[in-house]
Amino acid sequence: MKNLHTILKKENYKKVKFKITKTQHLLIKAKINGVIGSFILDTGASNSCIGFESVDLFLLEAKKSKTKASGAGATGMFTQVATKNQLQLGSWKDIAFDIVIFDLSHVNEALLQHKSKPVHGIIGADVLMKGKAIVDYYNHCLYLLK
């Protein structure tokens, strides 16, 4: 649909480009607390998350969490949480962003086995729902409502 961008722009949606990797993952750039990183855009992930190794990079204050994570072939994983962070995808921003922290090594190992670059984390449905997201797979764009 050629007019999709025009229609969504009039409705105050912000456009964010993504790439499709060799592994068919949607790769998107995001800033957390002003630091840019690479993330998988995952409509099936309930929460956005980063790996333990990126806590210092993104200036996060990790706190204990009773929640256990599961997904991508792993279950019952220990998690932490960091609250009240700044997230930016393109020009779209969330200034009270909470993020789950857990071991993403299994995800990055799988990516490396397919000769893809590792990621810092995953942008999940929490962000997509907050931004009333529209994913345009054909044009490789994510639209988020301002």
Side-chain angles (χ1 to χ4, degrees):
M1 174 182 266
K2 290 183 180 181
N3 297 327
L4 180 64
H5 174 71
T6 305
I7 293 166
L8 293 176
K9 188 173 182 179
K10 286 180 185 174
E11 295 295 324
N12 288 322
Y13 273 85
K14 300 296 180 183
K15 178 176 151 180
V16 185
K17 291 271 194 185
F18 61 79
K19 294 180 181 180
I20 299 182
T21 68
K22 297 174 196 172
T23 56
Q24 298 299 309
H25 288 97
L26 309 183
L27 189 66
I28 194 163
K29 296 289 184 188
K31 278 187 187 178
I32 298 176
N33 299 326
V35 180
I36 198 160
S38 294
F39 294 80
I40 291 174
L41 180 61
D42 187 347
T43 61
S46 56
N47 292 293
S48 297
C49 57
I50 65 151
F52 287 122
E53 67 282 349
S54 297
V55 169
D56 292 337
L57 175 67
F58 292 109
L59 313 170
L60 300 175
E61 291 184 31
K63 298 173 186 166
K64 292 180 183 178
S65 172
K66 292 180 182 176
T67 304
K68 298 288 184 196
S70 63
T75 59
M77 295 182 292
F78 169 76
T79 66
Q80 292 182 316
V81 66
T83 58
K84 299 178 183 161
N85 297 285
Q86 294 180 1
L87 170 68
Q88 184 172 345
L89 295 164
S91 61
W92 184 88
K93 294 179 184 177
D94 181 353
I95 58 169
F97 174 64
D98 297 345
I99 192 160
V100 175
I101 305 161
F102 77 112
D103 184 3
L104 273 180
S105 62
H106 62 289
V107 172
N108 282 325
E109 285 174 23
L111 290 171
L112 289 168
Q113 285 178 2
H114 289 91
K115 296 183 175 39
S116 289
K117 292 181 181 178
V119 295
H120 294 102
I122 295 167
I123 300 297
D126 55 341
V127 171
L128 300 176
M129 290 190 316
K130 190 170 192 173
K132 298 182 180 172
I134 297 171
V135 182
D136 179 353
Y137 290 93
Y138 182 77
N139 292 304
H140 302 177
C141 297
L142 170 68
Y143 293 92
L144 296 166
L145 188 59
K146 187 175 182 180

